[in-house]
Amino acid sequence: MRGLIGHRRAFSAVLAMFTLVAAFVLGTATPARAGENTFVEVTPNTAQAGTRVNIRASCDTANNQQASVQSDAFGRVVVRPDNGFLTGAVTIPGGKEPGDYPVNLRCPDGNTAQTTLTVLNMAQPSKGPATGGGGTAGDRGAGSLLLVGGLAVVAVVAGLGVFGGSRRRAGTRS
């Protein structure tokens, strides 16, 4: 019986400690304020000049109205309501200089947000290198000659094998 009473006291002590910790944590937590959910995202945030990027934004409680996104990387874009967010897409001009460009969101309620878009401008080859008999090769090169030569060697070896086999059979009869 004494063991049962001891367990009850220990349980009560643990429960009291848990209650004190919970009260401390809940008492010191800061409440969420309106306006903290204003953001803008660009996907991908590192993109090659000439490619399309997607924009997703939030104007906190004003996501049922259009907003504008401005950047020197692509100009001004209107983002429209889409499933609780504001979305849009834009193509970075092909001749855009590489670098980091700020992307600024301006909401109808005056809230703003900013992110960064990194633009790359690497030279792109117009077609693949002529490396053989593949579809990107410009003309018939050494790959075709090697293929024809290999087939000829296989034919000669096969012919010698048949000729040598029939000769051995003929030699075993004598």
Side-chain angles (χ1 to χ4, degrees), residues 132-133 137-145 147-148:
D139 56 2
R140 293 183 64 157
S144 298
L145 292 176
L147 180 62
V148 171

Side-chain angles (χ1 to χ4, degrees), residues 63-122:
N63 283 344
N64 58 350
Q65 301 174 38
Q66 296 179 3
S68 65
V69 175
Q70 172 73 34
S71 177
D72 289 339
F74 50 75
R76 182 178 178 272
V77 176
V78 174
V79 288
R80 293 178 168 73
D82 182 24
N83 293 324
F85 293 101
L86 301 170
T87 62
V90 65
T91 300
I92 302 167
K96 183 53 68 179
E97 291 295 318
D100 293 337
Y101 293 90
V103 177
N104 299 303
L105 168 70
R106 177 161 303 281
C107 299
D109 59 5
N111 286 342
T112 60
Q114 183 179 19
T115 191
T116 302
L117 171 64
T118 302
V119 175
L120 306 174
N121 198 347
M122 299 181 293

Side-chain angles (χ1 to χ4, degrees), residues 18 37 61 97-98 104 118 122 135-137 140 150 153 167 172:
F18 178 74
N37 293 321
T61 59
E97 291 295 318
N104 299 303
T118 302
M122 299 181 293
T136 60
R140 293 183 64 157
V153 168
R167 200 166 172 202
T172 56

